[in-house]
Amino acid sequence: MAKCGPRVRTPFYQSEYAVLYQDDCLEALSHIEENSIDMIFADPPYMLSNNGFTCQNGRMVPVNKGDWDKSGGFDDDTAFHDAWIRACRRVLKPEGTIWISGTYHSIYQCGYILQKNSFHILNDIVWFKPNAAPNLSCRFFTASHETLLWARKDTNAKHVFNYQAMKDGAFPEDKLKNENTQMRSVWSIPTPGKQEKAQGKHPTQKPLALLTRIIRASTNPGAVILDPFNGSGTTGVACGMVGERFYIGIELDAGFCALTEKRLRD
Ligand SMILES: C[S@@+](CC[C@H](N)C(=O)[O-])C[C@H]1O[C@@H](n2cnc3c(N)ncnc32)[C@H](O)[C@@H]1O
């Protein structure tokens, strides 16, 4: 499979099927050839680590995930999302698609920016977490989903959607999906269990079942898939599980790059 990625950068990790760069995504993306990527999955900072509280194992714990997740205020956050989404647009093929995952803290800004930059929104998917943590304050509804936006770069191009594979495929983890029925826009997938965290933890790790479904639905063999906020490398691991895809990951944090390397080697 043809390799594709920033040509002048030294990778943190490289194999026949994946390359990982420890870098700021804006910097790394600027070295990637334009119109070269088939699909992007982006799970940007949520901007919610501002000293709130959540529930973990029945206890109140700070919601903070790390400095990378702090909000700089509405205007700074919007400018950040605008910059990385435009950088992603440059490297996507015209028929290429982008997935963006988030909660209300960021997803509406990202949706607005996608539309402002002439992306064509194909779906907004509700990822329902059947095992979401309870709400201890009991003053509002218990957060139990994230939204995934799926958009095509060029309004007139033909994107990949493997309709039949979604209709006929087996999704045993999803209690809302019956066999041989159309895949709907609400997906029930539990958050990652211990087995997926065996190599180490990332505070916002996505389940492999979510990423393998996205890759199967929206790419074909030979696709080049990029994740500008690699985290623990779930997108890269899922590419390996689906097979016949090439992965490019970008991650600022050295510890998360090391965790990704372990997961990819495994
Ligand atoms: C929400 S997490 C992604 C989690 C990932 N989807 C997973 O399953 O592990 C966002 C990640 O982006 C990284 N990050 C934040 N700002 C970045 C930037 N400007 N460039 C590259 N990575 C960045 C953070 O260190 C964090 O690991």
Side-chain angles (χ1 to χ4, degrees):
M1 188 181 295
K3 284 192 187 156
C4 165
R7 283 151 298 179
V8 295
R9 321 290 295 170
T10 308
F12 186 97
Y13 168 78
Q14 192 161 23
S15 74
E16 198 181 339
Y17 303 106
V19 60
L20 174 66
Y21 296 94
Q22 187 198 345
D23 208 342
D24 181 279
C25 64
L26 291 183
E27 174 61 21
L29 282 164
S30 73
H31 295 274
I32 295 183
E33 207 177 307
E34 67 179 313
N35 300 325
S36 63
I37 305 293
D38 293 283
M39 189 272 267
I40 294 176
F41 174 82
D43 182 17
Y46 293 71
M47 312 296 193
L48 58 67
S49 292
N50 292 299
N51 305 322
F53 284 88
T54 185
C55 170
Q56 239 173 42
N57 303 323
R59 288 188 308 124
M60 289 275 254
V61 293
V63 80
N64 290 355
K65 305 193 183 303
D67 282 348
W68 57 267
D69 198 46
K70 286 204 165 100
S71 169
F74 183 81
D75 289 340
D76 278 10
D77 295 352
T78 307
F80 169 73
H81 291 305
D82 191 61
W84 74 258
I85 288 173
R86 279 190 291 109
C88 284
R89 183 174 173 82
R90 189 187 70 78
V91 303
L92 261 186
K93 292 179 181 174
E95 70 277 21
T97 59
I98 183 167
W99 293 79
I100 304 179
S101 168
T103 53
Y104 64 83
H105 306 85
S106 59
I107 204 69
Y108 297 115
Q109 281 157 304
C110 291
Y112 165 76
I113 291 160
L114 282 174
Q115 293 182 74
K116 191 168 76 109
N117 285 288
S118 307
F119 281 89
H120 175 76
I121 296 190
L122 298 162
N123 275 119
D124 56 333
I125 303 288
V126 173
W127 164 33
F128 168 58
K129 307 173 188 181
N131 57 341
N135 177 276
L136 288 187
S137 78
C138 305
R139 293 184 60 224
F140 40 84
F141 299 107
T142 305
S144 59
H145 79 281
E146 292 192 24
T147 301
L148 292 139
L149 301 175
W150 183 36
R152 186 175 63 218
K153 176 174 174 176
D154 188 322
T155 313
N156 300 315
K158 192 171 184 303
H159 64 278
V160 173
F161 177 47
N162 293 317
Y163 167 82
Q164 209 63 39
M166 291 297 102
K167 186 176 174 199
D168 299 344
F171 302 94
E173 73 287 345
D174 189 338
K175 301 282 179 288
L176 298 175
K177 172 71 172 82
N178 296 318
E179 267 178 47
N180 299 320
T181 56
Q182 288 190 332
M183 176 75 76
R184 293 195 171 127
S185 59
V186 180
W187 301 354
S188 173
I189 302 176
T191 56
K194 278 192 183 136
Q195 206 192 340
E196 289 187 31
K197 299 200 167 187
Q199 307 283 8
K201 285 184 184 163
H202 186 287
T204 64
Q205 187 171 326
K206 295 289 165 290
L208 284 165
L210 180 72
L211 268 301
T212 50
R213 187 184 297 199
I214 285 173
I215 292 166
R216 288 202 171 98
S218 60
T219 70
N220 286 328
V224 179
I225 296 172
L226 183 143
D227 186 335
F229 303 102
N230 168 93
S232 62
T234 310
T235 310
V237 177
C239 282
M241 289 168 73
V242 174
E244 299 181 85
R245 270 69 172 172
F246 186 79
Y247 176 65
I248 302 173
I250 307 166
E251 169 58 50
L252 260 182
D253 185 281
F256 295 148
C257 285
L259 169 57
T260 300
E261 179 173 352
K262 276 194 209 161
R263 293 187 79 199
L264 288 174
R265 284 187 191 281
D266 206 31

